[in-house]
Amino acid sequence: MKVLITAGPTREPIDAVRYIGNRSSGRMGAAIASAATTAGHAVTLILGPVSVPMPAVDRRIDVETASQMHLAVLGEFPAHDLLIMAAAVADYRPKHVHAKKLARTGGTHTIECEPTEDILAAAGVTKQPDQRTVGFSLEMAGNLARAREKLVRKRLDLIVYNPTQTMGSDDVESVLLWADGRTENLASRSKAEFGEVLVNRASELFSR
Ligand code: CTP
């Protein structure tokens, strides 16, 4: 299979030196990319500014903002069988980016934000019958209903529910939710082991 994997955070600029980011390290995406490569798949990685080493893959595309990731994913997805969106994409970005460094003025400072593109939802719209999409849903413990709602709204074949503690942790506790209503609880395991299971389950999406 040709597998497109996104990983890491995005950075949304505020001014010449500041940005809005998040704590995603890219470790989950690295584990999935390793597992996919070991399983013999051709892997393209689209990466935000990750803070961990990435495995050697067929192709690597580095981006910074949600908008750049959106363009890269939409450009690459048509040439791939499977998209796994493990990136922690910003949901909002500052509406106006200041070209210079903002100076302290005293008092409060407000940054007006606008929504970013929903990359997975956009890929879901262009998805062909022979393509599959997998997403992640980082939720407060037990909120499986929100994960299922995202599966439907973004037209995914499979979504991985993770409790919020997963971000930055070595281990992953997860529930897999399929478009046909099935669920599978995966007890806590290392990200490397989780990556192997996920690549297996994602491969099985092509036999149904
Ligand atoms: N995602 C995306 N484009 C965005 C935001 C998220 O493609 N602009 C993807 C993520 O890579 C992930 C899934 O969608 O696979 C997460 O969905 P989202 O609704 O953004 O989830 P959270 O940010 O976890 O949810 P919320 O802020 O709604 O709690």
Side-chain angles (χ1 to χ4, degrees), residues 6 66 85-91 116-121 134-139 146 150 153-154 156 159:
T6 68
M85 279 286 305
V89 185
D91 289 320
T116 57
E117 303 83 0
D118 188 327
I119 303 171
L120 259 183
V134 176
F136 282 78
S137 176
L138 196 66
E139 305 290 350
R146 276 201 88 208
K150 286 176 193 175
R153 177 163 45 86
K154 300 183 189 228
L156 303 177
I159 194 160

Side-chain angles (χ1 to χ4, degrees), residues 49-83:
V50 291
S51 49
V52 294
M54 285 290 142
V57 292
D58 295 79
R59 237 147 46 83
R60 166 178 173 149
I61 300 167
D62 290 277
V63 299
E64 194 142 322
T65 65
S67 180
Q68 289 166 355
M69 189 173 280
H70 177 239
L71 279 177
V73 169
L74 290 195
E76 292 295 327
F77 185 45
H80 292 79
D81 304 298
L82 171 66
L83 167 64

Side-chain angles (χ1 to χ4, degrees), residues 2-166:
K2 293 186 81 177
V3 187
L4 181 61
I5 300 169
T6 68
T10 62
R11 285 180 183 171
E12 308 303 324
I14 297 169
D15 67 10
V17 297
R18 302 182 179 93
Y19 57 82
I20 298 176
N22 63 67
R23 292 185 203 281
S24 169
S25 62
R27 253 188 294 176
M28 177 75 95
I32 299 166
S34 281
T37 304
T38 305
H41 304 302
V43 174
T44 303
L45 266 178
I46 297 179
L47 300 174
V50 291
S51 49
V52 294
M54 285 290 142
V57 292
D58 295 79
R59 237 147 46 83
R60 166 178 173 149
I61 300 167
D62 290 277
V63 299
E64 194 142 322
T65 65
S67 180
Q68 289 166 355
M69 189 173 280
H70 177 239
L71 279 177
V73 169
L74 290 195
E76 292 295 327
F77 185 45
H80 292 79
D81 304 298
L82 171 66
L83 167 64
I84 301 180
M85 279 286 305
V89 185
D91 289 320
Y92 292 91
R93 69 177 148 239
K95 198 165 176 184
H96 306 287
V97 181
H98 297 265
K100 294 186 181 147
K101 177 173 178 274
L102 282 166
R104 178 201 286 260
T105 52
T108 61
H109 181 86
T110 303
I111 299 171
E112 191 184 355
C113 290
E114 63 184 10
T116 57
E117 303 83 0
D118 188 327
I119 303 171
L120 259 183
V125 170
T126 71
K127 183 163 73 169
Q128 299 299 304
D130 57 352
Q131 288 181 305
R132 302 287 182 273
T133 52
V134 176
F136 282 78
S137 176
L138 196 66
E139 305 290 350
M140 302 302 279
N143 208 344
L144 284 175
R146 276 201 88 208
R148 183 155 295 286
E149 181 273 321
K150 286 176 193 175
L151 171 88
V152 174
R153 177 163 45 86
K154 300 183 189 228
R155 299 190 193 179
L156 303 177
D157 298 283
L158 170 62
I159 194 160
V160 181
Y161 156 86
N162 291 135
T164 39
Q165 307 88 276
T166 306

